[in-house]
Amino acid sequence: MRLGSGTFAACCVVIEVLGVALFLRGFFPAPVRSSSRTEHQAEPPAPEPSAGASSNWTKLPPPLFSKVVIMLIDALRDDFVFGSKGVKFMPYTTYLVEKGASHSFVAEAKPPTVTMPRIKALLTGSLPGFIDVVRNLNSPVLLEDNVITQAKAAGKRMIFYGDETWVKLFPKHFVEYDGTTSFFVSDYTEVDNNVTRHLDKVLKRGDWDVLILHYLGLDHIGHISGPGSPLIGRKLSEMDNILMKIHTSLLSEKRENLLPNLLVLCGDHGMSETGSHGASSMEEVNTPLILISSAFERKPGDIRHPKHVQQTDLAATLAIGLGLPIPENSVGTLLFPTIEGRPVREQLRFLHLNAVQLSKLLQENVPSYKKEPGFEQFKMAERLHGNWIRLYLEENASEVLFNLGAKVRRQYLDALRTLSLSLSRQVAQYDIYSMLVGAVVVLEVLTLLLLSIPQALSNKAELEVPLWSPVFSLLFYLMLLVLSALHVIVCTSADSSCYFCGLSWLTAGGVMVLISALLCAVVSALAKMAANGKLLSKNPAHPNSQWSELDVVILLGTMGHVLSLGASSFVEEEHQTWYFLVNTLCLALCHEIYRNCFLGDDCEPQQCSHVESGFVSTAPPLQDRSIGCDVLEPHRVSESPTSLHTLRGCEKWMVMASPWVILTCCRLLRSLNQTGVQWAHRPDLGHWLTSSDHKAELSILAALSLIMIFALVQRRCSLTSKVAMALGLLGVYCYRAAIGNVLFPWQRESKDISKGLIEARFVHVFVLGILFTGTKDLLKSQVIAADFTIKTVGLWEIYSGLVLLAALLFRPHNLPVLVFSLLIQTIMTKYIWKPLRHDAAEITIMHYWFGQAFFYFQGNSNNIATVDISAGFVGLDTYVEVPAMFLTAFATFAGPVLWASHLVSFLSSETSSGSALSHACFCYALICSFPVSAYIILVTSLRYHLFIWSVFSPKLLYEGMHILITAAVCVFFTAMDQTSTTS
């Protein structure tokens, strides 16, 4: 079966996406879980150790508090309360922390620091899986044992107001609730007013036991303006006043209740220096946790400094405070200061219940639990506890009893810390079988792509795919039989749940058929190569041809980048790798230009053939290189070829200066956004521009950038698209002015700040109009094949529509990134790719490299915190899942997407032959498959690495998104290739 190179590559990448998805499903595993209790049958609490004496303490202790109010402020950093901002903007809270009846803690949140996993950690005490980052967009019902479910079972009446994530996690648990969407980040006022408006009414009522308030405004301000925004201070003052109102109301009820009330102030996660969250920086993981109650009265001179604890410790503390069983999957420990004022026997009873729960969880998840230090410490503490009970029942008070009680308490606390640490290390159990199946599919696709290089990059851009012969071969059926038997053995003997085993037999059988067919295709390709006796050479048409410097740079750069992914520091600072590669590429191009200009050796072998990613590139050049060279048949070109020898005067000097101009642009872009981990905290031009003192400078820069964007894009657009582009860019500035990012010339300061809905939708209309015009031209070129220009104009208009959308979604200080991207593309098109006559393979790799570099020039990194989710709500007045996800993904990956779009437009305009697009599609698929396949192998081998969740896992999600974008790009390439072939 003969297929074009582009069609073959697109099919391979689509299959690879399926393999990556299966691997990700296995890699992001189910967290540590207990199997001792079901939802409908609860175990009785462990009795008090007796050591021969009879104890009547066999039931759960009674609750310590009458009412509990949880006030959760989204993205509340610890320094917002305990630092200078807390002193300035939260005076009442500061007073309670320093002098009031409270206990203060700095609670550490484990990554991923996004809302839904943090709520689960607070209420279950467990460590949620990293895949909860994805589930955060649409939270499923929480079936795991938790404080809310236990409270409902105990008859507690609960009321909730705030983030609707709680309502999704706990449906039918609250007697009254009012949820607000957490994803519409442009709103930071109404989203909190909708919570506060219920307070006066609820606080006066006595028909509830637990009140939960989740305020989102602070988090939304962070996403919009960052932690340095003046809006942060106003919001903190608002939260302080609300806390004072709640605390005053609870104090007034103290006389009526026999038990004290408890007010909990906490954050689910922190906020990075850019205002986002999701990663593991100190600003994102450290949150305040303040427990306020009249039971915590201080003695004179009692100074309480905030202690560092784990966020998971709150679940056990709330359970004890409400008289509930500790959630069975909790890895947290009871916050001892909350029970410090209770009698010794009660203290030891609470600590014993917590230790028994942790030891049971350890037994169910660690086979060699008896050798664990925490388990040994627990058994020792339990024996001492029994001795203490015996002494206590024999005599009421003595020094021996007091000293033994203190010793037992210390022993319990040490055991709890050790047990919690041991369980936290057993974070998850990987689904190895699903991981292996996904990895096999990905590696088979990569191998097939590598073996297909000689045919795929040939002049015909076609290859013979051995499809039917492997299917009817003995190897195929033997392989299918072996895989089926292996599947049955694994799925019937697996102790833990396996996703692939849970699939239907039809689906699992389809995957096994696919694996068998791919393996047979690989074997067939290897056999054909062995029969022909051909090895991978630089150019099969010219076995003695040499590699150029550019070929060496591409080979070493690709392999070096792949190898660098095995080190956590290189993953954290991957932007440095891409900055180095594009700079090295510019220097290699500079060397090639100067050699051609001054030595005139355009008949050297390196100009007659090129290499792709270190492998064979027999793709013909875009321009006619037949002058003095024996090369393969060139593509037809749409204009007269350009040569360095034909350039004179200014044009020649521009060609010679172009690499240095590009290097200068890249250096300026590096100063705009500090990213990564090691230097992300350092000041950069972006921080300077976004500060409130430099709004005028930011306005001028944004205006000039929009003018430059229009000048660089409009040159190949139709008149209608030019007008739409101009009005759209004007609308972009109006939108940014409406939301207060920039100023109009007649404004001195931002007043009447709005959400900019009208302005943003105005731009969206022009984006859709330009995209529609381009699509119409493409369809017209398909029907009327008389004019080749219609297709090139259509592709450019689609590209310009994407540029306009990027300009709308980019923050004002990032508009220069878009300008420099367009400028570098223009320079390379006119002064590098045309004069040097690079082939489609090399041009594709250059586009890929610059696309990756511009991903980081935007300020992105390999942690989730740099994802700007506010871009997903530009022009939306409510949360709509599909548009919000699309806009967020496009804004994040705008660099790679725009460079891939430019590649299609450039190749279509410079050559009328469809093989250039086929070669480009194949090369793009191959070079994107390399890092994905290598990274899957690396993370599998490093799955127990110390930084697997904080460093390697976020990068794995980004790689999964990259391969998905690659599949979309390859499908688009194939569609354009088919259009060219038809024309």
Side-chain angles (χ1 to χ4, degrees):
M1 180 179 179
R2 297 199 67 82
L3 288 177
S5 301
T7 305
F8 173 75
C11 293
C12 286
V13 175
V14 169
I15 295 173
E16 190 172 12
V17 168
L18 298 177
V20 171
L22 186 57
F23 179 87
L24 291 176
R25 184 58 182 80
F27 180 80
F28 294 111
V32 169
R33 293 290 179 263
S34 173
S35 58
S36 62
R37 202 191 313 171
T38 64
E39 185 179 354
H40 304 287
Q41 183 179 0
E43 285 188 355
E48 189 178 45
S50 57
S54 59
S55 171
N56 58 353
W57 284 30
T58 58
K59 298 181 179 180
L60 276 174
L64 303 179
F65 306 103
S66 175
K67 289 184 176 181
V68 174
V69 179
I70 300 175
M71 182 178 174
L72 192 153
I73 304 175
D74 212 292
L76 184 66
R77 282 183 1 184
D78 63 325
D79 60 329
F80 285 175
V81 176
F82 303 134
S84 58
K85 286 186 178 180
V87 175
K88 183 177 181 180
F89 299 113
M90 303 186 76
Y92 188 78
T93 307
T94 302
Y95 167 77
L96 291 176
V97 169
E98 295 179 351
K99 300 180 181 179
S102 67
H103 289 292
S104 304
F105 307 92
V106 176
E108 180 184 349
K110 299 294 185 183
T113 48
V114 292
T115 297
M116 192 270 280
R118 296 299 95 222
I119 294 175
K120 290 175 66 175
L122 287 167
L123 297 175
T124 66
S126 62
L127 298 174
F130 207 92
I131 197 62
D132 283 324
V133 173
V134 179
R135 294 175 181 167
N136 185 63
L137 299 173
N138 188 18
S139 306
V141 176
L142 181 59
L143 301 176
E144 188 179 347
D145 189 22
N146 60 83
V147 175
I148 299 295
T149 303
Q150 293 283 4
K152 184 190 177 187
K156 303 287 185 183
R157 294 158 299 178
M158 295 174 288
I159 296 176
F160 169 75
Y161 304 117
D163 185 356
E164 65 180 6
T165 302
W166 290 74
V167 181
K168 295 178 180 179
L169 289 171
F170 310 108
K172 301 180 182 180
H173 284 64
F174 304 111
V175 296
E176 183 180 320
Y177 64 87
D178 185 10
T180 57
T181 180
S182 61
F183 294 108
F184 187 58
V185 297
S186 299
D187 173 29
Y188 52 83
T189 304
E190 292 181 12
V191 73
D192 285 346
N193 292 341
N194 286 336
V195 178
T196 308
R197 65 190 174 95
H198 298 282
L199 272 183
D200 291 332
K201 177 181 65 176
V202 171
L203 292 175
K204 292 176 182 178
R205 289 159 41 186
D207 60 345
W208 55 271
D209 301 297
V210 179
L211 173 63
I212 303 173
L213 309 170
H214 189 148
Y215 285 94
L216 291 163
L218 185 70
D219 177 67
H220 291 186
I221 291 172
H223 284 296
I224 296 170
S225 308
S229 169
L231 297 172
I232 292 287
R234 297 178 207 165
K235 183 57 69 175
L236 291 176
S237 298
E238 178 187 341
M239 296 295 104
D240 191 56
N241 292 331
I242 294 170
L243 180 80
M244 181 170 62
K245 177 188 290 188
I246 298 171
H247 187 229
T248 305
S249 176
L250 292 179
L251 287 178
S252 66
E253 292 183 6
K254 177 184 175 183
R255 302 172 185 175
E256 304 174 7
N257 299 327
L258 296 176
L259 294 175
N261 298 320
L262 174 66
L263 172 59
V264 179
L265 174 67
C266 62
D268 54 348
H269 51 74
M271 183 188 299
S272 69
E273 288 303 320
T274 60
S276 190
H277 54 87
S280 55
S281 66
M282 294 295 290
E283 293 81 10
E284 294 167 85
V285 301
N286 285 343
T287 64
L289 174 59
I290 306 173
L291 306 180
I292 306 165
S293 174
S294 58
F296 307 147
E297 291 291 347
R298 303 191 191 212
K299 297 178 181 178
D302 185 4
I303 300 175
R304 301 174 181 174
H305 298 289
K307 301 176 182 178
H308 283 262
V309 297
Q310 295 299 314
Q311 198 179 55
T312 51
D313 296 341
L314 182 62
T317 305
L318 286 177
I320 293 296
L322 290 169
L324 305 172
I326 297 174
E328 58 187 8
N329 298 316
S330 171
V331 298
T333 62
L334 174 65
L335 296 175
F336 183 72
T338 59
I339 61 169
E340 207 166 10
R342 310 296 297 182
V344 177
R345 188 178 184 183
E346 290 186 25
Q347 293 181 21
L348 298 183
R349 174 64 170 154
F350 295 143
L351 294 173
H352 178 250
L353 288 173
N354 195 183
V356 168
Q357 176 263 323
L358 289 177
S359 64
K360 285 184 177 180
L361 192 61
L362 185 75
Q363 292 177 45
E364 294 170 4
N365 289 278
V366 180
S368 58
Y369 65 91
K370 290 184 179 180
K371 299 180 181 179
E372 290 287 331
F375 188 79
E376 295 175 356
Q377 290 175 332
F378 161 65
K379 286 300 182 183
M380 174 65 72
E382 198 172 38
R383 285 194 295 270
L384 292 174
H385 190 184
N387 293 333
W388 186 90
I389 291 294
R390 181 173 53 79
L391 287 175
Y392 177 82
L393 295 176
E394 289 176 358
E395 52 183 304
N396 290 331
S398 71
E399 187 176 350
V400 174
L401 185 68
F402 177 80
N403 292 334
L404 182 59
K407 182 178 180 181
V408 176
R409 186 169 55 226
R410 287 194 303 270
Q411 189 75 21
Y412 267 131
L413 291 174
D414 290 341
L416 287 174
R417 278 192 294 266
T418 310
L419 284 169
S420 178
L421 185 61
S422 298
L423 286 167
S424 298
R425 288 173 178 167
Q426 305 288 327
V427 174
Q429 301 164 347
Y430 293 98
D431 183 357
I432 298 295
Y433 184 42
S434 299
M435 289 172 60
L436 288 177
V437 173
V440 167
V441 172
V442 171
L443 292 176
E444 283 183 333
V445 169
L446 177 63
T447 306
L448 194 58
L449 285 171
L450 291 174
L451 295 175
S452 304
I453 289 176
Q455 294 184 69
L457 294 182
S458 65
N459 190 43
K460 293 182 179 180
E462 290 183 346
L463 66 162
E464 184 68 32
V465 181
L467 187 60
W468 297 114
S469 54
V471 171
F472 293 106
S473 66
L474 179 61
L475 176 62
F476 172 79
Y477 292 106
L478 286 175
M479 191 66 194
L480 185 59
L481 183 62
V482 169
L483 290 176
S484 301
L486 182 64
H487 183 71
V488 172
I489 293 172
V490 172
C491 294
T492 54
S493 62
D495 296 328
S496 58
S497 60
C498 172
Y499 174 75
F500 192 62
C501 291
L503 295 176
S504 65
W505 272 99
L506 183 63
T507 306
V511 174
M512 287 183 280
V513 168
L514 179 64
I515 293 175
S516 303
L518 287 173
L519 179 64
C520 292
V522 169
V523 172
S524 176
L526 283 172
K528 186 179 293 186
M529 288 185 64
N532 294 336
K534 290 183 179 179
L535 298 175
L536 294 179
S537 64
K538 172 69 174 65
N539 188 337
H542 299 273
N544 298 323
S545 60
Q546 299 178 356
W547 288 17
S548 68
E549 290 84 354
L550 189 61
D551 299 332
V552 176
V553 168
I554 289 172
L555 170 65
L556 296 181
T558 302
M559 300 310 296
H561 169 250
V562 169
L563 292 175
S564 71
L565 296 177
S568 60
S569 297
F570 277 94
V571 172
E572 290 177 332
E573 309 297 328
E574 189 182 358
H575 61 285
Q576 302 284 7
T577 302
W578 287 112
Y579 296 166
F580 173 78
L581 289 179
V582 294
N583 290 343
T584 307
L585 177 64
C586 289
L587 292 176
L589 291 172
C590 183
H591 176 265
E592 187 174 355
I593 290 171
Y594 287 1
R595 185 188 60 215
N596 281 275
C597 283
F598 296 115
L599 299 181
D601 57 346
D602 63 318
C603 286
E604 287 292 317
Q606 60 264 27
Q607 287 203 37
C608 298
S609 54
H610 293 269
V611 68
E612 190 279 315
S613 199
F615 301 96
V616 181
S617 174
T618 57
L622 291 177
Q623 309 290 349
D624 188 355
R625 295 192 191 178
S626 59
I627 304 173
C629 293
D630 181 18
V631 296
L632 298 172
E633 179 186 350
H635 299 308
R636 289 186 297 111
V637 294
S638 56
E639 56 184 272
S640 300
T642 308
S643 172
L644 285 178
H645 299 293
T646 62
L647 297 176
R648 294 291 181 268
C650 182
E651 278 196 347
K652 187 171 185 177
W653 286 108
M654 282 299 299
V655 170
M656 295 173 64
S658 56
W660 301 104
V661 175
I662 296 171
L663 280 171
T664 304
C665 293
C666 291
R667 186 62 190 89
L668 291 173
L669 287 172
R670 291 183 64 175
S671 304
L672 186 62
N673 293 304
Q674 291 284 1
T675 185
V677 174
Q678 299 296 329
W679 296 278
H681 64 281
R682 292 188 177 182
D684 52 36
L685 188 57
H687 281 90
W688 185 84
L689 288 169
T690 52
S691 66
S692 56
D693 298 332
H694 303 107
K695 190 168 287 188
E697 290 87 345
L698 178 61
S699 303
I700 294 172
L701 179 65
L704 291 176
S705 298
L706 293 173
I707 293 171
M708 285 292 296
I709 290 171
F710 177 75
L712 291 168
V713 170
Q714 59 82 33
R715 54 195 171 91
R716 290 169 57 186
C717 291
S718 63
L719 180 60
T720 305
S721 296
K722 287 181 181 180
V723 174
M725 176 64 69
L727 293 175
L729 293 173
L730 179 61
V732 170
Y733 192 89
C734 293
Y735 165 72
R736 289 298 170 183
I739 64 174
N741 292 147
V742 298
L743 300 170
F744 284 115
W746 55 85
Q747 283 182 305
R748 291 188 178 181
E749 58 182 18
S750 299
K751 293 182 179 180
D752 302 324
I753 296 176
S754 70
K755 298 177 183 177
L757 291 177
I758 297 175
E759 294 84 353
R761 290 172 179 176
F762 179 79
V763 180
H764 280 308
V765 168
F766 287 113
V767 170
L768 293 175
I770 295 173
L771 292 176
F772 175 78
T773 303
T775 307
K776 182 193 69 174
D777 288 342
L778 283 180
L779 295 176
K780 188 177 178 181
S781 68
Q782 179 79 0
V783 178
I784 307 171
D787 191 359
F788 180 71
T789 10
I790 297 177
K791 178 186 173 183
T792 58
V793 171
L795 284 171
W796 185 260
E797 286 178 336
I798 290 176
Y799 171 70
S800 61
L802 296 177
V803 170
L804 178 58
L805 180 60
L808 174 65
L809 300 181
F810 276 21
R811 301 204 179 195
H813 76 277
N814 256 349
L815 287 174
V817 176
L818 195 54
V819 173
F820 281 123
S821 177
L822 295 170
L823 182 62
I824 291 174
Q825 289 170 358
T826 304
I827 291 173
M828 296 192 79
T829 298
K830 189 172 183 180
Y831 299 112
I832 293 181
W833 292 326
K834 288 182 181 179
L836 292 181
R837 303 167 181 171
H838 291 113
D839 61 32
E842 289 180 338
I843 292 173
T844 300
I845 298 172
M846 291 185 209
H847 275 84
Y848 175 78
W849 280 20
F850 273 99
Q852 294 301 307
F854 271 87
F855 172 80
Y856 295 102
F857 283 143
Q858 292 174 230
N860 292 321
S861 68
N862 282 329
N863 67 53
I864 303 169
T866 51
V867 176
D868 181 15
I869 66 171
S870 64
F873 303 92
V874 175
L876 300 179
D877 57 354
T878 185
Y879 175 62
V880 185
E881 186 171 355
V882 174
M885 291 179 66
F886 169 76
L887 292 176
T888 303
F890 179 80
T892 304
F893 294 95
V897 169
L898 289 178
W899 277 85
S901 303
H902 183 270
L903 174 62
V904 178
S905 176
F906 173 77
L907 292 179
S908 299
S909 63
E910 294 304 315
T911 174
S912 59
S913 171
S915 59
L917 286 172
S918 295
H919 293 150
C921 181
F922 184 86
C923 294
Y924 201 89
L926 181 60
I927 199 168
C928 291
S929 298
F930 262 112
V932 173
S933 305
Y935 201 69
I936 281 178
I937 297 174
L938 288 170
V939 295
T940 302
S941 60
L942 297 173
R943 62 186 181 276
Y944 297 114
H945 193 279
L946 179 63
F947 301 127
I948 187 65
W949 299 116
S950 58
V951 178
F952 293 105
S953 294
K955 172 62 178 174
L956 185 59
L957 288 176
Y958 277 112
E959 288 295 336
M961 194 64 190
H962 273 134
I963 199 65
L964 189 62
I965 293 173
T966 302
V969 170
C970 289
V971 169
F972 187 58
F973 268 119
T974 305
M976 294 302 100
D977 187 12
Q978 296 298 325
T979 304
S980 299
T981 305
T982 306
S983 302

